[in-house]
Amino acid sequence: MAVHHADNPADLSELLAQVRQGFVPAHVYNDEEIFSLEKERIFGRSWIFVAHESEIPSPGDYVVRRVLQDSFIVARGEDGVVRAMFNMCLHRGMQVCRAEMGNASHFRCPYHGWSYRNDGRLFGLPFHVEGYGGEEGFARHGQRLLPAPALDTYNGLIFVNLDPSPVPLRTYLGDYAYYLDLYTRQSPEGIELHGPQRWRIAANWKIGAENFAGDSYHTPQTHISVVEIGLFREPKANKRKEGALYWADVGGGTTYKLPSGTFEERLAYVGYPPEMVERMRRTWSERQRQMVSEDGFMVSASTLFPNLSLVHNWPRVTADEDRVYPFISLRTWQPISASETEVHSWFAVDVNAPQEFKERSYKAYLMCFGSSGMFEQDDVENWVSITATAGGAMARRLLLNSRMGLDAAGKPLHPPVAGYHGTGTAYVGYGEYNQRALLSRWADLLERPMPGMSRTTLGRRVAADEAGQGEGEDS
Amino acid sequence: MSAQVDRRQMPSLPFDDPRHLVASRFLVDEAYLLDRQRYEEWLSLLTDDVWYRMPVRVSTGRASGFDTSPGMDHFAEDRYMLERRVRRFLTEHAWTEDPPSRLRHHVTNIRTSPMQADDELFVESAVLLFRSRGDVQPPAFLSAGREDVLRRTDGGWRLARREVFVDESVLRMQNLAVFL
Ligand code: FES
Ligand SMILES: [Fe+2]
């Protein structure tokens, strides 16, 4: 059936109802109308991962990151506070920072020379007196680069939100925080993040997000070559299908079922040295430990809605057949258009890991994921092809099948895992539970209009009685 | 350390120096193999201790003193890692290269310089990779500078070290299922 005109609420509701059932009109993976709604209603009010605190450890350190086309300078001020500032000069709109990383006490706009401290405050304004009549005529005091409407962190992960009054990040994460910890808090000090590699793929951003959220089904097919060459031992022998697929509030992921053993034995099986296992044992909650020790599930790929994905695998990276080394990667699927995505892929490792482990784990990352990774190479080939085909007229007549795990009446084929120690709901066996959960959330947001958007008042000329209130700072 | 700025400032060898001719021929013959994806033969041109690296390039201020990502590469490979990648292409299930890309490595700007050891040469070159897949997507390009160390062995000249300085901070190529 042809589903069209996303701007017609009735048509949109019909389309979204189908999506929630697991019947996905193929054109949603390459449709400019859908994409413009996504930009407004999803990326305009979701928490979006931009950086990790370890990327900017010292005062003055900064990275420049985008949310859609909006560029933000994510910088640590002299006061140690991390801020995200809209990278557009208050004067006539030039980008005040054109590097993507570095260390700076100030950012000077190349156009007319206004300069800003690394906390965003306007500092220098050439010919202030002659051109503006000085502080009387145009108050430099109190002006600052527009802050991101909202910024919040979890385990050092920095998120921004274009909605100025979102739910707090921790509330947004809900039960998914349990899983985020397993990747980013193997010790109280957490991860250090390296990268990212950046590259553009001619694929819709949702395809990667869905794949990482729950597509264990593709592993034995798409990634058969990495098993054949002995890089990864797990997908064969149906191991993949014995893993649990979990969904918890705002994200979900895949796991592998490990051979029987204790907490320590199972983490050793995936390659963690004893000292790291001991830190995990001390750092994780009892229920987090029990997911390994009792349930025997080890997290693998995962997605936090909308566009942050994580992966944890444990390949062989040396000629020693008996040793595997686990690695963790974070990546964002940054939409460029309905049919193009910029991938940012980072390598993450526990900051307290031994140096030798970090080096081997980095090798493991490079071999498996990222721009050159042998898993990722074949994934992207699929996603590019899907996107191109989804752009045509026939794709508007095709409802893709995302129904795995349901019978014809829509009932789950299997009950959830009983006694599961993780949060959320988990199923064992192949199923598209998480892809449906992700797209259902997507549908809910697409269907909900934005409240009347008021132009942000931040950064405007501050009246005398307001000046100095913002963060109690003084220029 | 700036990748492109701080390298050997020594003058290159004259183009009719036999050592330059050896290096030029090596790179052209290598490109011939890479264009045809004859990767096992390509591996035989590498030393056992080969180090093959492609750092991630970043846009930074001129005064920052660096233009590669600290601690991140597209490739940082020893021989074992390169062999795994080649082994994978030899399976029947490396989907991203089946059907194969049409590849052309355009190699130019070759400069050869002697090294301290007589049996080693430092060779700089530019490479432009053209990659065309299927009939729907436009072709992709990858432009890079390379800094190689060639070493003379009993079996002939071998690539002992390569650093590839790709000229984009954001690659416009779907993956690096290629070698430069
Ligand atoms: S646009 Fe920045 S100083 Fe004029
Ligand atoms: Fe995959």
Side-chain angles (χ1 to χ4, degrees):
Chain A
M1 102 169 356
V3 185
H4 206 169
H5 298 308
D7 52 350
N8 177 330
D11 286 356
L12 181 65
S13 289
E14 187 190 348
L15 182 155
L16 298 178
Q18 288 169 321
V19 167
R20 291 188 184 96
Q21 302 292 312
F23 295 113
V24 184
H27 67 93
V28 305
Y29 297 110
N30 189 350
D31 183 318
E32 286 301 333
E33 289 178 63
I34 296 279
F35 182 59
S36 62
L37 275 179
E38 290 173 346
K39 284 196 285 191
E40 177 190 283
R41 299 183 178 184
I42 290 172
F43 290 89
R45 59 182 167 196
S46 299
W47 283 105
I48 306 295
F49 174 75
V50 290
H52 186 265
E53 291 200 29
S54 64
E55 295 183 276
I56 45 172
S58 307
D61 285 349
Y62 69 88
V63 292
V64 175
R65 299 279 154 79
R66 288 194 321 265
V67 176
L68 298 173
Q69 61 267 65
D70 291 328
S71 170
F72 291 95
I73 306 169
V74 183
R76 191 180 290 278
E78 302 305 321
D79 54 2
V81 174
V82 171
R83 297 176 179 81
M85 300 161 280
F86 182 44
N87 187 10
M88 189 175 201
C89 183
L90 297 178
H91 176 225
R92 303 284 290 173
M94 178 61 193
Q95 286 202 318
V96 299
C97 181
R98 293 164 300 142
E100 66 187 272
M101 64 185 301
N103 183 283
S105 59
H106 294 77
F107 300 100
R108 181 184 301 279
C109 178
Y111 200 172
H112 311 93
W114 289 27
S115 64
Y116 302 86
R117 296 180 200 266
N118 57 18
D119 59 13
R121 282 178 295 165
L122 179 59
F123 174 70
L125 205 168
F127 303 106
H128 189 195
V129 173
E130 296 90 327
Y132 296 90
E135 201 68 13
E136 296 287 278
F138 177 77
R140 186 183 57 178
H141 178 77
Q143 306 275 4
R144 57 176 59 240
L145 293 172
L146 283 193
L151 180 147
D152 209 344
T153 66
Y154 183 78
N155 290 352
L157 303 158
I158 305 163
F159 293 76
V160 302
N161 199 317
L162 298 185
D163 178 348
S165 46
V167 297
L169 177 63
R170 183 63 189 81
T171 310
Y172 177 85
L173 293 175
D175 280 345
Y176 186 77
Y178 170 104
Y179 298 101
L180 211 43
D181 287 348
L182 299 179
Y183 293 89
T184 61
R185 198 167 175 274
Q186 293 180 339
S187 74
E189 290 74 28
I191 53 166
E192 58 187 47
L193 204 58
H194 298 278
Q197 299 163 327
R198 302 168 63 190
W199 73 106
R200 288 195 181 186
I201 62 177
N204 183 271
W205 68 273
K206 294 188 292 298
I207 303 176
E210 285 186 67
N211 173 282
F212 276 63
D215 198 332
S216 52
Y217 188 50
H218 85 295
T219 311
Q221 167 65 20
T222 296
H223 300 306
I224 184 169
S225 68
V226 300
V227 179
E228 287 173 333
I229 65 167
L231 180 68
F232 199 47
R233 64 187 171 193
E234 304 301 343
K236 73 177 153 193
N238 286 338
K239 268 279 176 283
R240 194 66 172 127
K241 127 169 119 42
E242 294 161 20
L245 301 165
Y246 63 84
W247 183 267
D249 287 332
V250 74
T254 70
T255 66
Y256 281 95
K257 177 77 173 183
L258 299 180
S260 57
T262 62
F263 180 79
E264 286 76 11
E265 286 163 350
R266 282 172 159 163
L267 283 162
Y269 172 83
V270 301
Y272 285 105
E275 63 169 286
M276 292 185 74
V277 176
E278 174 58 17
R279 276 191 289 270
M280 289 180 232
R281 193 183 63 73
R282 289 202 310 258
T283 308
W284 289 349
S285 71
E286 185 176 12
R287 277 188 64 181
Q288 285 170 326
R289 292 195 303 271
Q290 284 171 327
M291 182 165 162
V292 177
S293 61
E294 307 299 316
D295 304 339
F297 295 132
M298 185 62 62
V299 292
S300 184
S302 193
T303 294
L304 167 64
F305 186 89
N307 71 329
L308 172 66
S309 290
L310 306 100
V311 60
H312 174 236
N313 276 354
W314 41 95
R316 297 189 181 99
V317 300
T318 66
D320 181 349
E321 294 281 310
D322 297 327
R323 290 297 304 272
V324 295
Y325 287 89
F327 71 89
I328 292 165
S329 171
L330 272 62
R331 75 251 323 287
T332 52
W333 315 101
Q334 301 198 12
I336 303 296
S337 71
S339 58
E340 189 175 26
T341 298
E342 186 169 314
V343 189
H344 286 206
S345 178
W346 290 265
F347 165 65
V349 66
D350 186 72
V351 69
N352 293 310
Q355 190 56 34
E356 194 231 353
F357 176 89
K358 289 182 181 178
E359 287 165 13
R360 294 285 167 85
S361 183
Y362 178 54
K363 274 179 126 176
Y365 163 70
L366 288 179
M367 289 172 81
C368 292
F369 280 87
S371 50
S372 65
M374 287 184 264
F375 278 83
E376 188 121 22
Q377 290 177 11
D378 290 326
D379 283 324
V380 175
E381 176 76 4
N382 293 334
W383 306 342
V384 167
S385 174
I386 292 165
T387 302
T389 315
M394 286 301 289
R396 295 187 174 276
R397 306 178 198 194
L398 176 61
L399 292 175
L400 298 175
N401 190 300
S402 189
R403 297 267 299 174
M404 202 185 339
L406 299 178
D407 66 15
K411 286 229 170 54
L413 286 174
H414 309 285
V417 179
Y420 177 60
H421 289 87
T423 54
T425 306
Y427 295 90
V428 165
Y430 293 135
E432 282 152 339
Y433 316 98
N434 295 350
Q435 292 92 321
R436 287 190 297 274
L438 189 148
L439 282 192
S440 292
R441 187 178 179 89
W442 171 87
D444 292 348
L445 283 172
L446 279 197
E447 202 158 33
R448 185 149 58 86
M450 298 295 277
M453 230 194 311
S454 62
R455 182 164 292 125
T456 178
T457 56
L458 296 163
R460 72 186 159 86
R461 180 162 178 267
V462 178
D465 59 337
E466 286 181 287
Q469 282 185 3
E471 300 174 32
E473 284 168 321
D474 198 4
S475 60
Chain B
M1 194 58 58
S2 171
Q4 303 282 23
V5 183
D6 175 57
R7 299 293 147 159
R8 275 144 247 264
Q9 302 291 330
M10 69 180 76
S12 60
L13 292 169
F15 284 2
D16 59 357
D17 188 292
R19 289 166 292 181
H20 177 72
L21 295 175
V22 161
S24 300
R25 181 172 179 196
F26 183 94
L27 294 185
V28 170
D29 285 347
E30 183 201 14
Y32 180 89
L33 295 177
L34 291 178
D35 286 348
R36 286 157 185 76
Q37 302 197 13
R38 283 160 60 173
Y39 292 136
E40 280 181 300
E41 291 165 77
W42 178 68
L43 279 179
S44 73
L45 297 180
L46 314 180
T47 63
D48 286 344
D49 64 347
V50 66
W51 175 236
Y52 178 96
R53 173 168 179 253
M54 185 192 294
V56 168
R57 300 296 297 278
V58 288
S59 305
T60 53
R62 206 174 269 280
S64 70
F66 68 98
D67 61 9
T68 59
S69 170
M72 180 51 69
D73 308 274
H74 294 293
F75 288 107
E77 313 282 298
D78 55 23
R79 187 173 182 103
Y80 176 82
M81 295 165 79
L82 291 171
E83 280 175 353
R84 293 295 94 184
R85 294 180 185 279
V86 169
R87 270 278 307 281
R88 194 180 91 80
F89 288 131
L90 297 176
T91 71
E92 289 174 5
H93 308 110
W95 314 113
T96 191
E97 278 300 324
D98 191 8
S101 300
R102 290 169 290 272
L103 299 177
R104 194 71 59 194
H105 293 73
H106 299 265
V107 179
T108 181
N109 303 12
I110 301 171
R111 298 174 85 243
T112 308
S113 309
M115 304 221 354
Q116 255 166 10
D118 269 354
D119 58 353
E120 290 190 333
L121 292 170
F122 180 72
V123 189
E124 296 164 277
S125 61
V127 61
L128 180 65
L129 172 63
F130 175 90
R131 184 185 187 190
S132 170
R133 295 191 52 62
D135 54 5
V136 172
Q137 299 295 337
F141 292 88
L142 211 52
S143 170
R146 300 186 299 190
E147 298 181 3
D148 298 343
V149 173
L150 299 186
R151 188 187 302 149
R152 187 166 46 208
T153 69
D154 291 343
W157 287 88
R158 296 284 182 270
L159 180 68
R161 183 181 177 89
R162 169 166 288 167
E163 286 188 281
V164 182
F165 296 99
V166 64
D167 294 322
E168 287 173 303
S169 58
V170 182
L171 307 184
R172 263 73 171 178
M173 189 172 271
Q174 73 177 32
N175 59 34
L176 289 173
V178 293
F179 298 108
L180 287 170

